[in-house]
Amino acid sequence: MVPSFAASTGPFAVTPDTELPVSEYGRVGDPPEVRALVAAAQAGDRSAFDDLVTRYHRAVFRTAMAALQRPEDADNTTQDAFVLAWRKISAFRGDSSFKTWLLTIVWRQALDRRRARARWWQRSTTVSRSDDPSDDGLDRLVSHEADPERHAAARHRVRQVRDAITRLSPKLRDTLLLASDGEYSYEEIAEMLGVPLGTVKWRVSEARKLVQQRCEQSKEKP
Amino acid sequence: MSIHDIDRVARHLVDTEPPPNLETRILARLDAAGRDATGQERPSEGWTWWMWRAALPAALATIAIVMGTRNPKILAPNGVQGTEVLSPQPVADFSRIAKLEPQPGRASVGTGKAAEGISTRTSDTTEPRLSSEEAAWMDRRILMLAAVEALRVEHLSFDPLNSAGSTQPEALAITPLIMTPLPLEPLGSGRHNDR
């Protein structure tokens, strides 16, 4: 059923003549207010772009975190991505939503930073992953058990899952982290990663399966 | 371990809120990025400035070369008119060549206006100062050049081979081979083949 736009009013009213951007996977157009901000930013309005920064900087930061897993790197990458987006905003044609376009930029920047990072794997697996419970953050995931032994066991299982995710291949791990974040749809992830939608679904499924297998294997070990 | 638990842990890995001052720092970076209020890039002092600085003289030089190719007088300095160069110092003395009377069947030096130009110009110049050896060499050279009959073919004459003055070797004398029959004994006399 085709939705009716006749009731839309206001400065950003969407009329039937107003075509929403259509991506490879369907309509992923931005809300009207975002489209107005983007149009103003393309015309050179910095305050409009500042509003876009306010709206999307959290999503951009979390995307960088999914690739880098280090807050300081994600912080720098987020800044670089917005600067690049401001410079390239005239090239945005609306083939996808502005959010997807922006996240694609930050994702590529994050991958560049990740490649340039020497011994990234060792550092990413050690940062903020100490055995000290106080700075681990895993307690938030463990339900409070009255029995200290059961609490420790639950915490151990969470640690096993985290280690299994960390040991996934980059493609599977990236896709799983993006999909689990809940910030993006599968279609947006597919556009960000530049892969078909089916590939995203397969990667998420494969990643979950591998994590489950590895957790089972570690459970069987004494 | 359920899928829900895996997703929960995966979400925890990226569940980091941005620093509170991140937005402020982004805006500061944008301000420092060298953009003006119209969104156009400010002319930087980077490679683009140097590109224009190098491209402008190159473009002017190219235009000058193209214009000079079409009209050589633009590039010609004083003393040079078009493609014709008037040299104040003659290279050689052609006066005697110019004085030679053309003869039928003899190759002439220069033709048409070119030859006239040479003789005209050399008549206006001063005689080169040559040493005695050079002058003698020049005289010999001119005389030898004048003696050449360019279109005359000399008829070569040669003596017959059997003449006395021939350089050919003497005729070979072949002595006939004399065959002398060997004396043979008649069969059955002397040796017997009793094998």
Side-chain angles (χ1 to χ4, degrees), chain B residues 17-28:
Chain B
E17 289 299 316
N21 59 347
L22 176 61
E23 183 181 349
T24 307
R25 284 186 282 118
I26 293 171
L27 299 180

Side-chain angles (χ1 to χ4, degrees), chain A residues 44 46 50 54 58 61-62 65-66 75 79-80 86-87 129 137 140-141 161-162 177 180 208 212, chain B residues 1 3 6-8 10-17 19 22-23 25 27 29 31 33 35 37-38:
Chain A
R46 249 298 300 278
D50 292 351
T54 304
R58 182 178 177 274
F61 179 82
R62 292 174 70 92
M65 270 297 294
D75 190 305
Q79 296 181 42
D80 294 342
W86 172 238
R87 285 181 176 162
R129 301 288 181 261
R140 286 191 296 157
L141 302 177
V161 175
R162 188 201 62 195
L177 293 181
S180 303
R208 287 169 176 163
Q212 276 184 319
Chain B
M1 185 62 63
I3 291 177
I6 295 172
D7 286 349
R8 206 157 55 98
R11 190 180 304 116
H12 168 72
L13 292 176
V14 294
D15 189 17
T16 306
E17 289 299 316
L22 176 61
E23 183 181 349
R25 284 186 282 118
L27 299 180
R29 277 284 305 274
D31 289 335
R35 306 286 298 236
T38 59

Side-chain angles (χ1 to χ4, degrees), chain B residues 77-137:
Chain B
N78 293 336
V80 180
Q81 297 179 359
T83 56
E84 189 176 41
V85 179
L86 298 179
S87 175
Q89 295 181 353
V91 178
D93 181 15
F94 293 101
S95 57
R96 297 185 61 176
I97 299 176
K99 292 174 182 176
L100 291 175
E101 292 294 331
Q103 298 179 5
R106 174 177 293 184
S108 62
V109 180
T111 57
K113 293 182 178 179
E116 294 174 10
I118 290 173
S119 60
T120 303
R121 257 175 267 136
T122 51
S123 63
D124 297 336
T125 59
T126 58
E127 288 290 329
R129 295 180 178 178
L130 300 177
S131 65
S132 58
E133 294 179 353
E134 290 173 338
W137 184 87

Side-chain angles (χ1 to χ4, degrees), chain A residues 110-128:
Chain A
L111 291 187
D112 288 343
R113 183 178 288 267
R114 190 166 77 180
R115 290 190 197 100
R117 216 162 52 178
R119 300 177 66 194
W120 168 82
W121 183 252
Q122 287 81 357
R123 283 194 281 174
S124 66
T125 53
T126 55
V127 63
S128 299

Side-chain angles (χ1 to χ4, degrees), chain B:
Chain B
M1 185 62 63
S2 67
I3 291 177
H4 174 71
D5 293 333
I6 295 172
D7 286 349
R8 206 157 55 98
V9 175
R11 190 180 304 116
H12 168 72
L13 292 176
V14 294
D15 189 17
T16 306
E17 289 299 316
N21 59 347
L22 176 61
E23 183 181 349
T24 307
R25 284 186 282 118
I26 293 171
L27 299 180
R29 277 284 305 274
L30 288 170
D31 289 335
R35 306 286 298 236
D36 58 15
T38 59
Q40 302 300 317
E41 279 200 1
R42 189 175 58 197
S44 65
E45 296 182 356
W47 65 273
T48 50
W49 187 79
W50 285 103
M51 185 187 71
W52 280 110
R53 188 182 178 124
L56 188 60
L60 292 176
T62 305
I63 293 172
I65 290 172
V66 171
M67 296 293 290
T69 304
R70 293 187 175 182
N71 189 359
K73 289 185 177 179
I74 294 177
L75 292 179
N78 293 336
V80 180
Q81 297 179 359
T83 56
E84 189 176 41
V85 179
L86 298 179
S87 175
Q89 295 181 353
V91 178
D93 181 15
F94 293 101
S95 57
R96 297 185 61 176
I97 299 176
K99 292 174 182 176
L100 291 175
E101 292 294 331
Q103 298 179 5
R106 174 177 293 184
S108 62
V109 180
T111 57
K113 293 182 178 179
E116 294 174 10
I118 290 173
S119 60
T120 303
R121 257 175 267 136
T122 51
S123 63
D124 297 336
T125 59
T126 58
E127 288 290 329
R129 295 180 178 178
L130 300 177
S131 65
S132 58
E133 294 179 353
E134 290 173 338
W137 184 87
M138 289 294 290
D139 290 340
R140 288 198 305 273
R141 182 175 69 98
I142 297 301
L143 290 175
M144 291 178 69
L145 286 173
V148 171
E149 296 287 347
L151 299 180
R152 178 177 172 181
V153 179
E154 294 181 359
H155 295 284
L156 297 176
S157 60
F158 51 90
D159 296 330
L161 289 176
N162 53 0
S163 66
S166 174
T167 57
Q168 289 293 325
E170 295 179 356
L172 293 175
I174 299 175
T175 305
L177 184 62
I178 300 172
M179 304 289 288
T180 305
L182 295 174
L184 296 176
E185 295 179 2
L187 291 174
S189 62
R191 292 176 61 180
H192 297 281
N193 187 6
D194 54 358
R195 215 171 11 171

Side-chain angles (χ1 to χ4, degrees), chain A residues 33-49:
Chain A
E33 61 272 19
V34 172
R35 293 167 58 191
L37 289 173
V38 170
Q42 284 181 320
D45 187 353
R46 249 298 300 278
S47 62
F49 192 80

